[in-house]
């Protein structure tokens, strides 16, 4: 973590060495009219002086290398600092440092912890372009991914004037966690996304952790009616809450001059979600603090009062609580609404690592009360559904959720390099009741229907059937949706496999005796990058003789939605070739598939 005082002391010492060092102690890389000059100072410290006006300095990355410290210096002031795994032995990829707005004659970099013999000194380059065209076979087609670099939690999701804004935890200097910024993308349909670079960058208070945005329609904060106001955690040695605002519909943000707006003595104090509570005419902020949630109120988004705490004796506590949300949802078949407190935790998920739990109850503007303290409720029963939050100010009263589609057990090690991590498909949330309990239903958002291109429909057929989806679509199909209805006769287990010619498969089954739906990815393809990846995940089902299932298959994920979203299961997969076949089986009896449709999914650019 960057400490301003210590860093200035180190940089001052380094610059002094650079200025007064003798020719024998300073080694420059020889070149004729070089675009930059590298001067090694010993002890793993070097100075790079920019000599040519270009937009980017491209840094070579080797992911096996330790992190190096870089300080960007303009007119002898540190204007940016970052941690980069600079290439020592080989180059995995390049990342850009944007030099826009700086005069080359007064721009240099101080590198620390990099040996003079490292390959990076020969490979780094200046360029006016940085190529973000896809070079990853596992990059999804219809799930959001960053153009490059690392991504985790969705942040600041807000809708305004027909545009969905998605901010996200982003590392622009590598495809592993670090250097947290807020990346930014926009969409008008939740399917096609436009990248806008990083919206909020680290400062003297720390890196930019997760948070939320609101539209201040009535100008309660004084930044202007309709301003988009962002709340985020500034993370350094301690975690504090900060604020920024945009008066140009999210194009640019200005940080509030009196940050931080909220502090605590607790070490884990983060991820502010802010909502407007109509009954009390106040803003509410819910924060994750260790293994509890704290709720604050404010009339103006600047001054906050602690109202209550929630968490002791509630739900799962296998790890730290993170990324809260608080929403009011309708209960299907009634005129009632209930409040849902979303709570992500890591570790402690039902199958290890990170996961999303939730609580259903009441909220009066001060205190949330859980209806069922004895139960733990999971929003998704897969391994790869975390940091779930909803769009603020969504149209038509909708509550649209998005999750980070990975797991902290292996997120840094999945087999991609240009980028890491994608988001889940968007899901509309509602409530339903079963056996006297109220649960969240996750329904794939209606915008996903626009993805459907060619469709192959099959009427009733019995088990022991295999379909080749390449033949169905006459091309190499790896992005598709399957919609099916299964009618059970007397089977104990109903199952099917998605598989390819390499013998890689994802097996899914309904166990009607145990009332469980399962997904087995232990033979799904590349599972060797983590011992925690090959897994069987299971979700409880209500049973009955008829089961509806929607499957969304992209290049590296399978998402299952059962019975109109009464259960959801999200799992990553990394097959060497697409799953282009599906076969069905039954144990202990028989069943019919009464409808079966495969849709080829295409994103129109």
């Amino acid at each position: 973590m960057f400490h301003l005082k210590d860093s200035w002391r180190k940089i001052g010492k380094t610059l002094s060495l650079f200025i007064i060092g003798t020719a024998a102690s300073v080694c420059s890389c020889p070149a004729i009219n070089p675009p930059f000059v590298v001067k090694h100072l010993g002890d793993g410290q070097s100075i790079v002086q920019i000599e040519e006006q270009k937009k980017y300095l491209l840094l070579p990355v080797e992911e096996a290398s330790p992190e190096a410290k870089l300080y960007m210096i303009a007119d002898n002031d540190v204007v940016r600092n970052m941690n980069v795994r600079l290439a020592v032995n080989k180059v995995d990829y390049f990342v850009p440092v944007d030099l826009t707005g700086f005069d080359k004659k007064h721009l240099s970099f101080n590198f620390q912890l990099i040996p003079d013999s490292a390959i990076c000194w020969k490979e780094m380059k200046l360029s006016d372009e940085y190529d973000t065209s896809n070079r990853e076979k596992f990059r999804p087609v219809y799930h959001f991914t960053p153009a490059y670099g690392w991504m985790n939690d969705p942040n600041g999701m807000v809708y305004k004037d027909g545009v969905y804004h998605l901010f996200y935890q982003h590392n622009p200097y590598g495809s592993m966690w670090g250097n947290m910024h807020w990346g930014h993308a926009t969409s008008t349909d939740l399917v096609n996304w436009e990248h806008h670079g990083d919206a909020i960058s680290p400062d003297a208070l720390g890196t930019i952790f997760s948070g939320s945005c609101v539209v201040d329609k009535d100008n309660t904060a004084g930044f202007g009616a309709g301003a988009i106001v962002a709340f985020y955690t500034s993370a350094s040695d301690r975690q504090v809450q900060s604020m920024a605002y945009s008066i140009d519909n999210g194009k640019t943000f200005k940080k509030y001059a009196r940050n931080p707006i909220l502090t605590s003595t607790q070490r884990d104090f983060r991820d502010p979600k802010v909502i407007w509570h109509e009954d009390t005419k106040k803003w509410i902020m819910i924060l994750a603090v260790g293994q509890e949630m704290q709720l604050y109120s404010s009339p103006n988004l600047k001054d906050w009062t602690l109202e209550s705490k929630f968490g002791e004796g509630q739900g799962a506590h296998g790890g730290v609580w993170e990324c809260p949300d608080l929403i009011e949802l309708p209960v299907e078949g009634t005129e009632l609404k209930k409040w849902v407190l979303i709570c992500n935790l890591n570790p402690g998920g039902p199958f290890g690592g990170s996961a999303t739990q939730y609580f259903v109850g009441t909220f009066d503007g001060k205190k949330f009360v859980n209806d069922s303290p004895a139960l733990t409720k999971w929003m998704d029963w897969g391994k790869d559904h975390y940091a779930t939050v909803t769009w603020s100010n969504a149209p038509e009263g909708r509550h649209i959720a998005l999750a980070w589609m990975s797991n902290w057990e292996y997120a840094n090690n999945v087999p991609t390099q240009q980028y890491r991590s994608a988001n889940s498909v968007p899901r509309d949330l509602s409530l339903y009741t079963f056996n006297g309990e109220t649960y969240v239903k996750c329904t794939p958002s209606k915008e996903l229907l626009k993805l459907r291109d060619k469709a192959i429909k099959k009427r009733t057929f019995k088990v022991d059937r295999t379909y080749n989806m390449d033949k169905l679509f006459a091309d190499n199909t790896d992005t598709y949706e399957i919609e099916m209805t299964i009618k059970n006769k007397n089977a104990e287990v109903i199952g099917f496999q998605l598989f390819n010619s390499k013998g890689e498969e994802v097996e899914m089954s309904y166990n009607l005796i145990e009332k469980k739906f399962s997904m087995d990815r232990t033979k799904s393809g590349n599972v060797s990058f983590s011992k925690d990846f090959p897994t069987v995940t299971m979700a409880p089902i209500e049973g009955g003789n008829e089961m509806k299932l929607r499957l969304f298959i992209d290049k590296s994920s399978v998402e299952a939605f059962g019975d109109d979203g009464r259960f959801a299961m999200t799992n990553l997969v990394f097959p060497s070739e697409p799953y282009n076949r599906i076969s069905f089986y039954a144990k202990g009896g028989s069943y019919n598939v009464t409808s079966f449709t495969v849709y080829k999914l295409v994103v129109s650019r």
Side-chain angles (χ1 to χ4, degrees):
M1 190 59 64
F2 176 49
H3 305 290
L4 193 58
K5 184 182 295 184
D6 291 344
S7 296
W8 272 113
R9 188 180 297 117
K10 292 177 182 177
I11 294 167
K13 180 180 178 181
T14 300
L15 291 175
S16 298
L17 286 171
F18 170 57
I19 293 169
I20 66 175
T22 64
S25 64
V26 179
C27 175
S28 299
C29 294
I32 300 174
N33 297 321
F36 52 82
V37 176
V38 181
K39 300 186 177 183
H40 298 304
L41 311 178
D43 296 327
Q45 299 194 47
S46 300
I47 291 283
V48 171
Q49 293 178 313
I50 305 300
E51 299 289 334
E52 185 177 319
Q53 199 75 47
K54 295 286 185 180
K55 186 174 182 180
Y56 301 112
L57 174 64
L58 301 183
L59 299 175
V61 172
E62 181 183 1
E63 291 195 337
S65 296
E67 289 186 329
K69 295 281 188 181
L70 279 72
Y71 300 96
M72 183 174 171
I73 303 167
D75 292 320
N76 297 317
D77 287 328
V78 175
V79 294
R80 199 178 301 164
N81 68 92
M82 62 208 77
N83 298 320
V84 184
R85 298 176 184 273
L86 286 168
V88 174
N89 301 301
K90 69 182 184 70
V91 178
D92 291 329
Y93 51 85
F94 288 85
V95 294
V97 179
D98 194 340
L99 309 182
T100 303
F102 296 101
D103 186 341
K104 65 170 184 174
K105 295 180 180 179
H106 306 282
L107 189 60
S108 61
F109 287 82
N110 174 256
F111 291 75
Q112 299 185 7
L113 307 177
I114 297 295
D116 298 356
S117 60
I119 195 174
C120 64
W121 308 119
K122 295 180 180 179
E123 295 292 337
M124 70 175 61
K125 62 191 75 172
L126 288 166
S127 176
D128 283 326
E129 296 181 347
Y130 178 66
D131 184 10
T132 59
S133 57
N134 182 50
R135 58 177 184 269
E136 293 284 358
K137 68 182 255 185
F138 291 125
R139 186 186 288 271
V141 170
Y142 58 89
H143 292 78
F144 177 82
T145 57
Y148 69 96
W150 165 274
M151 178 182 77
N152 55 293
D153 307 353
N155 295 157
M157 300 185 336
V158 65
Y159 177 87
K160 187 173 188 288
D161 297 336
V163 177
Y164 292 92
H165 292 265
L166 168 62
F167 302 90
Y168 54 92
Q169 291 283 278
H170 185 225
N171 180 6
Y173 305 120
S175 296
M176 301 175 79
W177 185 91
N179 303 301
M180 287 294 96
H181 296 58
W182 270 24
H184 185 203
T186 58
S187 174
T188 58
D189 61 5
L190 294 173
V191 171
N192 294 281
W193 293 93
E194 181 180 356
H195 293 277
H196 299 290
D198 291 319
I200 304 178
S201 300
D203 55 30
L205 289 177
T207 53
I208 312 301
F209 275 17
S210 294
S212 60
C213 285
V214 298
V215 177
D216 189 8
K217 299 175 184 178
D218 297 324
N219 195 24
T220 62
F223 301 134
I228 295 178
V229 186
F231 301 87
Y232 58 89
T233 299
S234 295
S236 184
D237 275 349
R238 311 299 290 188
Q239 296 175 358
V240 298
Q241 311 317 313
S242 295
M243 177 169 61
Y245 60 94
S246 172
I247 55 175
D248 58 6
N249 281 346
K251 294 179 181 177
T252 59
F253 281 85
K254 181 177 177 61
K255 292 174 181 173
Y256 180 50
R258 294 187 63 80
N259 281 336
I261 58 171
L262 199 56
T263 63
S264 172
T265 59
Q266 297 295 312
R267 183 164 294 277
D268 293 310
F269 180 69
R270 56 179 175 263
D271 309 340
K273 178 61 186 275
V274 175
I275 66 169
W276 175 255
H277 188 250
E278 182 63 28
D279 290 348
T280 57
K281 304 296 183 185
K282 287 186 178 181
W283 296 101
I284 302 297
M285 178 188 291
I286 181 169
L287 277 165
V289 186
Q291 291 196 356
E292 71 176 17
M293 298 301 181
Q294 294 183 359
L295 293 105
Y296 296 77
S297 69
S298 171
N300 59 11
L301 296 174
K302 298 175 181 176
D303 305 302
W304 295 91
T305 300
L306 178 64
E307 297 288 357
S308 63
K309 300 178 181 181
F310 171 83
E312 185 176 357
Q314 311 280 331
H317 286 267
V320 67
W321 284 15
E322 295 186 312
C323 301
D325 203 344
L326 187 61
I327 54 178
E328 191 178 26
L329 296 178
V331 181
E332 282 188 351
T334 74
E335 299 295 321
L336 300 176
K337 289 186 176 182
K338 286 181 175 287
W339 285 86
V340 175
L341 192 158
I342 297 173
C343 170
N344 296 271
L345 84 161
N346 174 55
F351 304 101
S354 41
T356 303
Q357 65 177 328
Y358 66 90
F359 308 93
V360 180
T362 59
F363 177 65
D364 61 2
K366 292 180 178 291
K367 185 178 182 180
F368 176 83
V369 178
N370 181 16
D371 284 350
S372 306
L375 290 181
T376 299
K377 300 176 180 179
W378 300 104
M379 188 168 287
D380 189 288
W381 293 86
K383 282 278 284 191
D384 299 302
H385 185 272
Y386 190 59
T388 311
V389 285
T390 62
W391 259 279
S392 173
N393 199 45
E396 304 170 11
R398 297 169 65 189
H399 294 276
I400 309 168
L402 198 69
W404 175 49
M405 198 162 59
S406 197
N407 191 302
W408 278 116
E409 288 184 332
Y410 43 73
N412 274 297
N413 305 114
V414 297
T416 62
Q417 286 192 332
Q418 183 184 25
Y419 79 98
R420 276 200 179 87
S421 299
N423 287 330
S424 69
V425 294
R427 308 166 186 204
D428 278 62
L429 305 183
S430 60
L431 294 172
Y432 72 97
T433 57
F434 177 68
N435 286 344
E437 282 292 337
T438 306
Y439 299 94
V440 168
K441 175 186 284 190
C442 300
T443 305
S445 295
K446 61 184 179 181
E447 286 82 359
L448 297 172
L449 297 174
K450 299 176 183 177
L451 295 169
R452 291 178 174 179
D453 184 28
K454 298 177 182 179
I456 302 297
K457 296 184 178 181
K458 297 290 183 182
R459 297 299 180 186
T460 300
F461 60 86
K462 296 181 180 180
V463 296
D464 302 324
R465 295 291 301 271
T466 297
Y467 286 103
N468 184 326
M469 282 171 282
D470 278 355
K471 291 182 179 179
L472 294 179
F473 293 121
D475 61 13
N476 193 26
T477 302
D478 54 4
T479 56
Y480 54 95
E481 176 191 352
I482 297 176
E483 199 169 32
M484 69 175 82
T485 302
I486 298 170
K487 186 93 170 187
N488 186 35
K489 291 185 177 180
N490 53 4
E492 296 178 355
V493 176
I494 297 169
F496 57 92
Q497 293 126 347
L498 297 172
F499 64 102
N500 59 26
S501 66
K502 304 293 186 182
E504 298 164 344
E505 67 178 31
V506 177
E507 181 174 355
M508 285 166 265
S509 65
Y510 287 91
N511 188 315
L512 283 310
I513 303 300
E514 298 180 2
K515 293 188 176 181
K516 291 180 180 179
F517 174 86
S518 66
M519 187 185 303
D520 183 346
R521 70 174 181 194
T522 57
K523 302 176 183 177
S524 58
N526 184 355
V527 300
S528 63
F529 54 88
S530 169
K531 64 179 178 56
D532 298 308
F533 189 80
T535 316
V536 179
T537 56
M538 292 176 285
I541 60 174
E542 297 173 13
N545 292 326
E546 187 173 87
M547 292 148 281
K548 295 180 179 180
L549 188 66
R550 285 179 73 184
L551 300 174
F552 288 84
I553 292 89
D554 209 334
K555 288 180 179 288
S556 52
S557 62
V558 178
E559 290 165 279
F561 297 89
D563 296 328
D564 298 319
R566 291 192 173 213
F567 73 82
M569 184 176 289
T570 302
N571 284 315
L572 293 176
V573 290
F574 298 98
S576 58
E577 65 181 35
Y579 305 124
N580 52 13
R581 295 174 177 84
I582 184 170
S583 64
F584 296 84
Y585 68 89
K587 295 180 181 178
S590 64
Y591 70 97
N592 289 339
V593 178
T594 57
S595 68
F596 177 79
T597 306
V598 183
Y599 299 93
K600 183 176 176 63
L601 300 186
V602 176
V603 175
S604 57
R605 301 295 183 184

